[in-house]
Amino acid sequence: EKQETSIHTEEKIRVGVSFLDDLVNLAGELVLGRNQLMQTALPLVRQTPGLNPVLQHISRVTSEMQEKIMRMRMQPVSLIFGKFNRIVRTLARNHDKEVRLVTHGEEVELDKSIIEGLSDPLTHLIRNAVDHAIEPPGERERLGKPGYGTIELRACHQGGQVHLIVSDDGRGVDGTRVARKAVEKGIVRQDQVNAMTERDR
């Protein structure tokens, strides 16, 4: 018996970022025009049969179009999460440490410009964790910890916002040492450091 199987694959095309930016701007103009139209036409609704459904339709289509265009700029955070495994391996090797990176929420999406802007700050936080927070294997074992340290990189939705959390199971950063370095480099004055709490440092 012959069986036919239908396989649906979604086709994709490459679109330039400048083209997407133009679409975002046009969608914004369309929303402004829709709002002006609604304000102007609403007083005429009572005396013009059929006008209200047309206005509602234009309003709904405009909102849906803007939402879909904005989603075209969204990208998963996995695009930047993926590069940190190599960075952690290299840093750990350079500091004679054993460190593993655990990631969660790779499917969370953010606007392309935000994704690009997050790369450097996240790299800095992860570098600090490997350099300063995670102890060498021997020291970790004396403290009753596994020989390898763990850095966790997590993306999640909370209260309508996307939160990115970097945490580790190391000793943490020595705030006093950081403050001393900041004074040496002229970033802060000693009297400012004296007024700081441990959390401020």
Side-chain angles (χ1 to χ4, degrees), residues 104-176:
H104 304 279
E106 291 91 342
E107 73 286 351
V108 171
E109 291 185 325
L110 287 168
D111 186 270
K112 176 178 171 33
S113 61
I114 296 174
I115 290 273
E116 291 169 353
L118 283 171
S119 182
D120 286 348
L122 286 176
T123 300
H124 182 70
L125 290 172
I126 287 172
R127 183 182 300 276
N128 277 347
V130 177
D131 287 358
H132 307 295
I134 302 287
E135 311 91 336
E139 184 179 335
R140 288 182 62 83
E141 287 165 3
R142 282 195 301 275
L143 295 169
K145 297 180 179 181
Y148 62 85
T150 301
I151 297 173
E152 187 174 354
L153 182 54
R154 178 185 297 271
C156 60
H157 291 280
Q158 285 182 7
Q161 295 181 325
V162 172
H163 290 250
L164 288 172
I165 301 154
V166 180
S167 59
D168 64 72
D169 66 348
R171 65 186 163 214
V173 176
D174 185 342
T176 303

